[in-house]
């Protein structure tokens, strides 16, 4: 195999690797111009309770390794960690929750919209 070909292959592998690791961030997702109808009461609280708080809101021994301080019990907590919550669980980000149970389809998109609009 020629050097140019090898180089091209290497570059292709690098590009693939980089795109696989790329996360969607809060900055990538503006709030829609018409805003959102989602609120903490109608969506955010239930989402965090159902999918995050079993580890993040638990006492130290039951947290399954979730770092202390990352609790999402109130709307203020969620707003404080808005950008990190987005990067781990919203839109096409699926590294949280880590378990086998994924939020139902569409829920991550709702989370993205709600966070993008400031978690009202
Ligand atoms: C089964 C337990 C468990 C559940 C459920 C869980 N997490 Fe985590 N979380 C962890 C562990 C373990 C870590 C530390 C390792 C890591 O960062 O991957 C962590 C770390 C984090 C961090 C801090 C690190 C960072 O990237 O800033 C954030 C934010 C986070 N999780 C968000 C969430 C969100 C949002 C949910 C719900 C959609 C969630 N987690 C559900 C176990 C859990």
């Amino acid at each position: 195999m020629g050097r140019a070909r090898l180089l091209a292959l290497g570059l292709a592998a690098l590009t693939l690797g980089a795109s696989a690791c790329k996360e969607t961030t809060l900055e990538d997702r503006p709030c829609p111009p018409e805003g959102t109808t989602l609120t903490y009461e109608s969506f955010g609280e239930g989402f965090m309770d159902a999918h995050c708080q079993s580890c993040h809101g638990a006492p130290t021994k039951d947290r399954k390794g979730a770092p202390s301080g990352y609790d999402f019990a109130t709307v203020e907590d969620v707003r404080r960690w808005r950008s990190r919550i987005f990067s781990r669980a919203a839109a096409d980000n699926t590294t949280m929750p880590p378990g086998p149970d994924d939020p139902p389809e569409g829920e991550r998109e709702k989370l993205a919209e709600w966070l993008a609009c400031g978690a009202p």
Side-chain angles (χ1 to χ4, degrees):
M1 201 182 303
R3 277 188 68 161
R5 198 141 169 216
L6 257 180
L7 194 68
L9 265 177
L11 274 175
L14 264 179
T15 320
L16 263 177
S19 64
C21 299
K22 172 97 179 69
E23 65 182 26
T24 306
T25 67
L26 190 58
E27 288 70 39
D28 297 328
R29 229 10 130 76
C31 181
E34 70 279 10
T36 184
T37 56
L38 301 166
T39 63
Y40 183 65
E41 290 72 22
S42 74
F43 171 74
E45 183 175 22
F47 183 96
M48 301 311 293
D49 278 355
H51 306 297
C52 314
Q53 285 291 86
S54 60
C55 299
H56 286 272
T60 318
K61 64 175 174 42
D62 301 321
R63 293 176 75 88
K64 303 193 178 75
S68 65
Y70 288 88
D71 285 11
F72 314 122
T74 66
V75 71
E76 287 78 24
D77 292 333
V78 174
R79 286 183 191 139
R80 171 158 172 248
W81 295 117
R82 195 158 68 98
S83 158
R84 291 310 312 155
I85 293 170
F86 194 104
S87 291
R88 301 297 302 261
D92 57 356
N93 297 312
T94 56
T95 59
M96 286 288 149
D101 296 327
D102 212 52
E105 210 179 320
E107 292 288 287
R108 291 186 188 275
E109 278 306 315
K110 281 191 186 174
L111 181 67
E113 176 180 306
W114 180 64
L115 292 174
C117 296

